[in-house]
Amino acid sequence: MRFASHTCFGLVFLALVFAGCAPKAPERPELQGANLGVAGFSQPCHDWEMLAGCLPENLNELEQTTFEELNDILRQELKTRGVQAYKGPALVRQCREIVLQEQENRPFSSLGYWTTVGQCLPVDFLLIPQVFEWRERKGGEWGVEDPAKVVLDLYLVDVRQEKLIDRFHFEREQQSLSENILDVKRFFKRQGRWVTAYDLAREGLQQGLTELGL
């Protein structure tokens, strides 16, 4: 069982050099006042649902209650950021069904599929959350046999331009402080507790929404 446990000129010159070499942040669209659609969490079963990467092998099918809880956490995090006026999972689900019926027996790309869903709503931007791995902790707050692990993606699609703006990938398995001393800040933020998979997912959503500009 695991337990929680030289000169000023030269410096300025170097800072300018490193700043010039740093990668530029991707350009962000203006989301303020735009029509936003937010899909419900899903677990991709087909390659055409994947906007990036490859479909993982040996996916363990998740319970519907897990998706519902994740959708609720996402709704709470968006509300905290003042994002409340959007077309949510129920409407997106209806449009997904319509698009699939219309595209039946015809090949289509993942980006084409999701932009068509966004056009069906219609919205300017579509946020798509997907979960690939979900392992709940085995044990309690102060000692576990197996820690929680979560792998999820957030995608932001520009429906009008028909392009993927950005992808946020989150993969985290909680480790003890002795296993990862670099995680000391997060360790104390959690007060030394072993957290649940939902706690990890919330951390990922908070980070992902910030990086996507929401």
Side-chain angles (χ1 to χ4, degrees):
M1 179 174 288
R2 309 183 192 184
F3 293 92
S5 31
H6 12 127
T7 65
C8 292
F9 175 80
L11 292 174
V12 170
F13 176 76
L14 288 174
L16 291 173
V17 169
F18 285 119
C21 295
K24 294 182 178 180
E27 293 184 6
R28 298 292 182 194
E30 181 52 61
L31 299 177
Q32 188 82 21
N35 292 322
L36 177 67
V38 179
F41 263 94
S42 64
Q43 185 178 30
C45 300
H46 308 282
D47 289 332
W48 51 261
E49 295 176 285
M50 299 282 296
L51 281 161
C54 300
L55 191 66
E57 297 181 359
N58 303 320
L59 281 175
N60 294 322
E61 187 174 353
L62 302 183
E63 299 288 340
Q64 183 60 35
T65 53
T66 301
F67 298 125
E68 293 171 358
E69 183 67 23
L70 286 171
N71 289 338
D72 191 48
I73 294 173
L74 177 56
R75 179 189 59 79
Q76 293 170 13
E77 292 302 324
L78 287 170
K79 183 178 180 180
T80 298
R81 297 160 184 268
V83 181
Q84 299 187 66
Y86 56 84
K87 295 181 179 178
L91 290 175
V92 177
R93 182 171 59 253
Q94 293 177 12
C95 279
R96 292 188 66 178
E97 294 172 355
I98 292 172
V99 172
L100 285 177
Q101 290 176 357
E102 293 177 346
Q103 297 285 348
E104 188 175 9
N105 299 324
R106 287 189 292 172
F108 53 88
S109 67
S110 58
L111 183 57
Y113 166 71
W114 285 110
T115 54
T116 305
V117 170
Q119 291 163 359
C120 167
L121 287 166
V123 293
D124 301 319
F125 302 97
L126 182 60
L127 177 67
I128 304 160
Q130 296 181 337
V131 58
F132 300 96
E133 188 171 347
W134 184 268
R135 187 182 71 209
E136 192 52 272
R137 74 181 182 198
K138 293 181 181 178
E141 290 186 349
W142 306 112
V144 295
E145 297 175 7
D146 211 4
K149 181 178 181 180
V150 172
V151 180
L152 61 82
D153 277 359
L154 296 179
Y155 302 95
L156 187 61
V157 170
D158 186 327
V159 176
R160 293 171 300 178
Q161 299 295 323
E162 298 186 2
K163 67 178 182 180
L164 175 63
I165 297 173
D166 206 354
R167 170 202 186 193
F168 170 76
H169 179 70
F170 178 82
E171 182 171 349
R172 183 165 297 162
E173 175 181 4
Q174 187 177 6
Q175 295 178 308
S176 66
L177 187 59
S178 61
E179 290 175 302
N180 186 6
I181 192 65
L182 298 178
D183 207 27
V184 61
K185 182 177 180 180
R186 190 175 290 115
F187 174 84
F188 284 112
K189 183 178 181 180
R190 296 168 177 161
Q191 299 179 331
R193 298 179 299 110
W194 291 96
V195 299
T196 67
Y198 291 111
D199 293 327
L200 289 183
R202 186 181 294 276
E203 291 178 4
L205 289 175
Q206 290 172 344
Q207 181 182 347
L209 292 175
T210 297
E211 293 194 15
L212 293 179
L214 290 167

